[in-house]
Amino acid sequence: MRDIRWGVWVADQRRYYAAGTLDAKRVTALENLGMVWSVHASAWCAGLAVARDYATVHGHCLPGAAVAWDGFPLGTCMVNMRAAARKARENAARRANGETDISYAGELSEAVWRRFPSRSAPVSSTSSPA
């Protein structure tokens, strides 16, 4: 068997998939193996599941910054999510005031905001990446 750099190969498959150029049969074959197309989306889903479990037990989702729940650094995750949400709100206000060339890096995307129905998404004239 040839020396295959698996990490590079997997990254290539993800890139082809995102570009829409990966053959449907290959997509199916990889999905049957449990392919994770987006590491970020997978981490998001894992964090959300832990946060829901924590909230069910405690009646809130305001863990301290150092709290780990089921081995997951939930406190750190929530601190980061709140910071990203705050940055998204601040940048949305800046965009609404006419500022341009504001990076979406570090923001909580509108796609993520939509997963929180009790919160209103920041209003922006352009859509941010998910």
Side-chain angles (χ1 to χ4, degrees):
M1 182 171 206
R2 287 187 274 160
D3 179 28
I4 298 174
R5 298 185 189 274
W6 289 108
V8 172
W9 184 84
V10 169
D12 286 344
Q13 304 317 300
R14 288 179 176 142
R15 190 175 66 252
Y16 302 146
Y17 177 81
T21 60
L22 189 59
D23 181 80
K25 289 181 182 177
R26 291 183 177 192
V27 170
T28 300
L30 289 168
E31 287 178 344
N32 287 340
L33 293 173
M35 177 68 163
V36 174
W37 295 113
S38 170
V39 175
H40 297 292
S42 178
W44 162 256
C45 291
L48 184 60
V50 171
R52 283 185 177 144
D53 183 47
Y54 180 92
T56 298
V57 171
H58 295 281
H60 63 79
C61 193
L62 295 170
V67 168
W69 190 254
D70 287 341
F72 183 85
L74 183 60
T76 301
C77 179
M78 296 306 295
V79 165
N80 292 338
M81 293 298 285
R82 287 190 293 270
R86 187 170 42 257
K87 184 172 184 177
R89 284 191 303 271
E90 291 167 358
N91 284 348
R94 291 173 59 197
R95 288 184 191 98
N97 287 330
E99 289 187 50
T100 58
D101 297 327
I102 300 169
S103 172
Y104 285 96
E107 288 187 21
L108 187 64
S109 72
E110 290 180 34
V112 172
W113 273 101
R114 285 191 288 272
R115 295 180 188 207
F116 292 100
S118 63
R119 306 264 185 200
S120 58
V123 177
S124 68
S125 57
T126 61
S127 63
S128 65

